[in-house]
Amino acid sequence: MSGNVDERGEMVLRADQTLNEALQLFIRFEVNEVPIIDHQRREIGRLTCRTLLKAVADKWDGRTTIESLWNGEKEAEQVGREPADAPKVSRASVSELTAMVERLKRELQETQSIVETMKTVLDSAYEGIVVVDAHGIIQEINKAYCQFLGIRREDAVGKHVTEVIENTRLHICLESGIPERGFIQKIYGQPMVVHRIPIWRDEKVIGAIGVLIFQGVSEVYQIFKRLQDLSREASRKEEKEKRAAPSRKQIFGLNSIIGRSPVIAEIKQMVRRAARVPSTVLITGESGTGKEVLAKAIHQSSPYADGNFVSVNCAAIPESLLEAELFGYEEGAFTGAKKGGKPGKFQLAHKGTLFLDEIGDMPLYMQAKILRVLEEKKVERVGGVEEMELDVRIIAATNKNLEEMVRKGQFREDLFYRLNIIRIHIPALRERKMDIPYLLAYHMERICEQFGLKQKEFTKEAMQVLMDYSWPGNIRELVNVVEWLVGMVDDQKIQKEHLPAHILSPQRLAKHGDKEGEKRKIVVQTDTNWREIVDAYERERIKQALVEERGNKAAAARKLGMHRSTLYEKLKKYNL
């Protein structure tokens, strides 16, 4: 710092010195202001601690010269000169400056440490990992992937992924927002197993991650063989499954809850907790949100998983038969009773789970009987004299407001409190739009596989329309739409114009509307008529299934992927 002392021994700074040098001088000598001199050593202004603090707060580059700071701040006469009436800067300003610099240093060191840790994790991973931004440009690629491709990291970063990895679909994953898990991709002529995962933020895809999970498909077979060798029973089960040719999309437990939104993550956490205890669970949500799927996930994750999962739609069974269906009956209990009697749903669910769907539609007299069974853990068949002990997990569901029904005397208050121990609410699909691409991808793959067709995918424009749609029928409507697209569209890519009219009509009509009021009218009309369109479509599907199965309702229900009691309910609804 000897070069910063003038002939009188005073501390000075040259105009061409940097902010870093000024910071060091202020901190070392604890001064509040320093004269600035030009190349002829003439004083041209004074740099104050306040000006320097402001430059640090504004994140000026430390290599910036004092003269550039002067020009940047447009202080034409002097650098940092203050008006006469300005308050004097105390020595505390220097301490504040020092503390700020130290804080910035710590934050920078922490950030660098996190970056280094992440790089170490990526490079330590056995799998190949590549990260691209929203434009498909590679931002990071780990050591394993570079070694497999035979390239250097610096040769890949900054390039479009298609220039580095052959046959990649990461850029397509960016456009559609649909994850692709367990896909086969040929690299250098070798089939590889890969994941492609879009990165969502604020309902937009900002990048994607590609994961090469095995060094080759042959390794998958080796692992599979080792698993088979662990148990003969596992091997026999595998052979049985192969002969039955089941859909590989049959997933269970928490994996059956499709979605990545924060609310779905919270629901999965609640399912984990609910599964640990035998308490009664009440699931609420609009029709079609997937309440039975959630109930099965709780059952399959619980100690009751080895028992039966028995589902009862309380709205679909006539009141006169509801008691016999739930509790069973003895031989001769009533006219038409089966010889030998029949076990009820509670008995069938012993050591398992009983799912009471649409509990809000249960008549009041049955509510009292259900409450007694729940409290005493015993059930008596219709026409019987002996009570049977029960160990049953109860899960109830409804799309109605039970609290309001209790206030109106339409639902027993004591039963409500007995059911409402663990409450899980499933929000409507329009409230968790981030999950729509995942649901579309899952059901598209499942249905294409079920029908033996080649996989189809959505274009970016089609996906955007589906994301913007309100889905008043929720997941049930989404599944119907996907099945309609699979059957009606021959192309492998689902274009915007392929989508059903009730989804496209708000956009098409609003495009030609001249007034905002007309647009609102169109949307309201579309939301009002969607049920008629969906109902007509569902009615035709049921009729076709009954024809194909020659009137066999059980077979038709299996074909349609619904419970038999649900089919009966719909037959009654559509007068079939």
Side-chain angles (χ1 to χ4, degrees):
M1 288 293 178
S2 59
N4 292 110
V5 179
D6 64 7
E7 60 275 4
R8 294 172 296 178
E10 293 183 359
M11 197 66 59
V12 295
L13 280 167
R14 298 190 312 277
D16 61 352
Q17 287 187 274
T18 65
L19 293 183
N20 280 339
E21 292 174 314
L23 276 170
Q24 293 174 15
L25 187 143
F26 270 73
I27 293 171
R28 180 175 178 182
F29 295 100
E30 296 187 353
V31 292
N32 292 323
E33 63 178 25
V34 175
I36 307 300
I37 60 175
D38 60 13
H39 65 282
Q40 295 178 350
R41 302 192 69 81
R42 292 179 302 186
E43 183 176 337
I44 59 174
R46 304 182 75 82
L47 178 64
T48 65
C49 185
R50 174 178 293 177
T51 303
L52 199 53
L53 269 174
K54 185 176 183 301
V56 173
D58 291 342
K59 298 183 179 179
W60 279 75
D61 191 336
R63 294 169 293 183
T64 303
T65 64
I66 297 170
E67 184 177 12
S68 298
L69 175 65
W70 184 357
N71 295 334
E73 296 289 338
K74 296 184 179 179
E75 297 175 352
E77 295 182 0
Q78 293 179 336
V79 178
R81 184 179 293 273
E82 298 174 350
D85 58 347
K88 296 295 181 183
V89 181
S90 64
R91 184 172 293 273
S93 297
V94 178
S95 301
E96 186 180 353
L97 176 62
T98 305
M100 180 180 289
V101 172
E102 290 301 320
R103 179 177 60 80
L104 291 173
K105 282 183 179 179
R106 286 196 302 272
E107 290 179 358
L108 180 59
Q109 289 171 352
E110 289 174 2
T111 302
Q112 290 174 337
S113 176
I114 292 172
V115 171
E116 290 301 321
T117 300
M118 290 305 297
K119 285 184 178 179
T120 302
V121 170
L122 286 174
D123 285 338
S124 300
Y126 174 74
E127 298 84 357
I129 300 172
V130 61
V131 183
V132 299
D133 63 14
H135 304 291
I137 304 301
I138 295 177
Q139 301 298 311
E140 190 59 68
I141 184 168
N142 72 341
K143 186 177 179 180
Y145 221 141
C146 287
Q147 287 178 342
F148 176 75
L149 295 173
I151 60 173
R152 298 180 303 170
R153 178 182 176 277
E154 50 268 31
D155 294 334
V157 174
K159 291 183 178 179
H160 196 272
V161 66
T162 55
E163 300 178 35
V164 178
I165 304 173
E166 66 175 324
N167 298 319
T168 182
R169 287 174 50 88
L170 267 184
H171 56 300
I172 298 174
C173 181
L174 286 169
E175 292 182 0
S176 66
I178 298 175
E180 298 180 353
R181 301 175 60 187
F183 275 54
I184 303 297
Q185 176 180 333
K186 278 196 175 183
I187 305 178
Y188 299 152
Q190 184 177 359
M192 314 299 294
V193 183
V194 299
H195 289 335
R196 304 180 187 105
I197 307 165
I199 304 170
W200 286 83
R201 180 182 296 165
D202 299 329
E203 296 189 0
K204 291 184 179 179
V205 178
I206 62 167
I209 301 172
V211 183
L212 187 72
I213 58 175
F214 292 107
Q215 291 297 319
V217 174
S218 59
E219 186 168 344
V220 180
Y221 295 135
Q222 291 173 7
I223 293 174
F224 183 66
K225 186 177 182 301
R226 287 199 297 269
L227 289 173
Q228 284 185 314
D229 292 342
L230 290 176
S231 169
R232 291 183 179 180
E233 181 62 29
S235 179
R236 285 195 297 270
K237 184 178 179 181
E238 179 66 24
E239 289 300 320
K240 182 179 178 181
E241 288 178 350
K242 284 181 179 179
R243 287 193 298 269
S247 169
R248 62 187 180 92
K249 294 303 291 182
Q250 291 179 347
I251 54 178
F252 303 95
L254 288 172
N255 290 331
S256 64
I257 305 173
I258 309 300
R260 296 286 183 86
S261 63
V263 68
I264 288 297
E266 185 178 350
I267 286 174
K268 286 186 177 182
Q269 185 63 27
M270 292 184 70
V271 168
R272 290 188 189 95
R273 293 169 180 166
R276 295 197 299 249
V277 294
S279 303
T280 303
V281 178
L282 178 61
I283 304 173
T284 59
E286 292 183 7
S287 179
T289 50
K291 295 186 284 294
E292 184 165 353
V293 171
L294 191 65
K296 286 181 179 178
I298 296 173
H299 167 73
Q300 291 158 357
S301 305
S302 74
Y304 292 92
D306 292 335
N308 294 326
F309 177 87
V310 180
S311 177
V312 179
N313 189 319
C314 300
I317 303 174
E319 288 189 20
S320 58
L321 299 178
L322 188 57
E323 185 174 358
E325 281 292 318
L326 289 174
F327 304 142
Y329 56 82
E330 297 290 353
E331 182 178 344
F334 50 84
T335 303
K338 280 186 178 181
K339 185 177 180 180
K342 179 183 176 182
K345 302 298 186 183
F346 273 95
Q347 189 177 351
L348 293 174
H350 183 59
K351 296 295 182 181
T353 300
L354 179 63
F355 177 55
L356 298 174
D357 197 9
E358 306 297 350
I359 189 73
D361 292 301
M362 180 176 286
L364 283 169
Y365 83 93
M366 277 302 301
Q367 293 178 24
K369 294 178 180 288
I370 291 291
L371 178 64
R372 180 174 176 273
V373 173
L374 294 181
E375 290 179 341
E376 298 183 4
K377 305 289 186 184
K378 294 179 181 179
V379 67
E380 181 180 315
R381 289 186 178 186
V382 176
V385 294
E386 294 183 359
E387 291 185 325
M388 292 172 284
E389 297 282 344
L390 287 178
D391 180 13
V392 177
R393 169 69 177 272
I394 301 295
I395 302 177
T398 182
N399 59 2
K400 296 187 176 181
N401 187 333
L402 292 188
E403 288 90 341
E404 183 66 25
M405 293 181 68
V406 169
R407 284 193 290 270
K408 292 180 179 179
Q410 297 170 344
F411 199 86
R412 291 182 62 101
E413 185 177 20
D414 46 7
L415 178 59
F416 170 72
Y417 289 121
R418 187 65 183 80
L419 295 173
N420 193 35
I421 297 176
I422 298 175
R423 180 81 163 262
I424 302 178
H425 178 72
I426 307 177
L429 194 54
R430 61 183 173 273
E431 298 173 20
R432 48 186 181 99
K433 292 196 171 186
M434 179 181 173
D435 294 331
I436 292 174
Y438 295 94
L439 288 162
L440 287 168
Y442 166 74
H443 289 293
M444 178 62 76
E445 183 178 351
R446 178 183 64 82
I447 293 171
C448 285
E449 186 174 300
Q450 178 183 341
F451 292 168
L453 301 174
K454 289 184 178 180
Q455 290 296 324
K456 300 179 187 291
E457 57 188 36
F458 296 91
T459 63
K460 186 176 182 180
E461 293 76 15
M463 180 60 69
Q464 189 59 56
V465 173
L466 294 168
M467 288 278 287
D468 293 339
Y469 181 57
S470 62
W471 295 108
N474 293 297
I475 299 173
R476 182 180 291 117
E477 183 188 3
L478 183 144
V479 173
N480 287 344
V481 168
V482 171
E483 186 168 338
W484 185 86
L485 290 170
V486 169
M488 301 302 292
V489 178
D490 294 329
D491 298 344
Q492 296 304 115
K493 282 187 175 291
I494 305 294
Q495 306 287 345
K496 177 180 175 181
E497 53 269 23
H498 291 148
L499 301 179
H502 73 281
I503 293 179
L504 278 176
S505 55
Q507 297 193 358
R508 284 178 175 169
L509 295 174
K511 183 178 179 181
H512 299 290
D514 295 328
K515 296 181 180 179
E516 191 65 28
E518 292 177 357
K519 294 181 182 180
R520 285 196 296 270
K521 181 179 179 182
I522 290 163
V523 173
V524 171
Q525 184 179 2
T526 302
D527 286 342
T528 303
N529 295 337
W530 78 268
R531 288 188 182 277
E532 297 176 7
I533 298 168
V534 173
D535 286 352
Y537 170 69
E538 188 174 54
R539 188 176 190 275
E540 290 304 314
R541 285 182 61 232
I542 293 173
K543 284 176 62 178
Q544 183 180 353
L546 287 170
V547 170
E548 291 176 356
E549 298 299 334
R550 299 180 180 179
N552 187 322
K553 295 183 179 63
R558 286 194 297 271
K559 187 177 188 68
L560 293 166
M562 64 177 65
H563 194 274
R564 187 165 52 183
S565 61
T566 304
L567 177 61
Y568 289 146
E569 177 187 1
K570 293 185 182 297
L571 291 174
K572 181 179 178 182
K573 176 182 177 181
Y574 299 129
N575 294 320
L576 294 175

